[in-house]
């Protein structure tokens, strides 16, 4: 049985949130650290990390830079 578009979108948000959490753990960042480095509000960071809302393409670029820069 095929997944509904909404459950497919939720699965994609969950996969992204899981990967972001993994990157943050590896970099030693908390959700608050990520929010500050990406210039997000705490609530936005929480919504993205809990798969309630997807990040925009600009958000994705920002959190990639934030997690990678903490490794240097």
């Amino acid at each position: 049985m095929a997944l509904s578009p909404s459950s497919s979108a939720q699965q994609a948000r969950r996969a992204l949130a899981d990967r972001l959490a993994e990157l943050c753990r590896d970099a030693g960042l908390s959700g608050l650290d990520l929010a500050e480095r990406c210039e997000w509000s705490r609530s936005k960071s929480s919504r993205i990390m809990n798969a309630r809302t997807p990040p925009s393409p600009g958000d994705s670029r920002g959190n990639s830079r934030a997690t990678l820069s903490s490794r240097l």
Side-chain angles (χ1 to χ4, degrees):
M1 178 194 241
L3 294 173
S4 73
S6 61
S7 58
S8 294
Q10 181 58 35
Q11 284 182 336
R13 284 193 302 270
R14 171 54 40 209
L16 188 134
D18 290 346
R19 180 65 178 133
L20 181 56
E22 181 182 343
L23 289 169
C24 285
R25 268 192 312 277
D26 290 349
L29 297 176
S30 68
L32 179 57
D33 294 331
L34 181 67
E36 289 173 352
R37 289 172 184 245
C38 293
E39 299 179 353
W40 294 343
S41 67
R42 284 190 212 178
S43 61
K44 180 176 185 171
S45 177
S46 176
R47 287 190 313 270
I48 292 171
M49 293 189 77
N50 288 296
R52 288 192 301 269
T53 190
S56 72
D59 293 337
S60 297
R61 284 188 295 277
N63 68 42
S64 295
R65 281 192 301 275
T67 55
L68 291 175
S69 67
S70 70
R71 293 182 181 189
L72 302 176

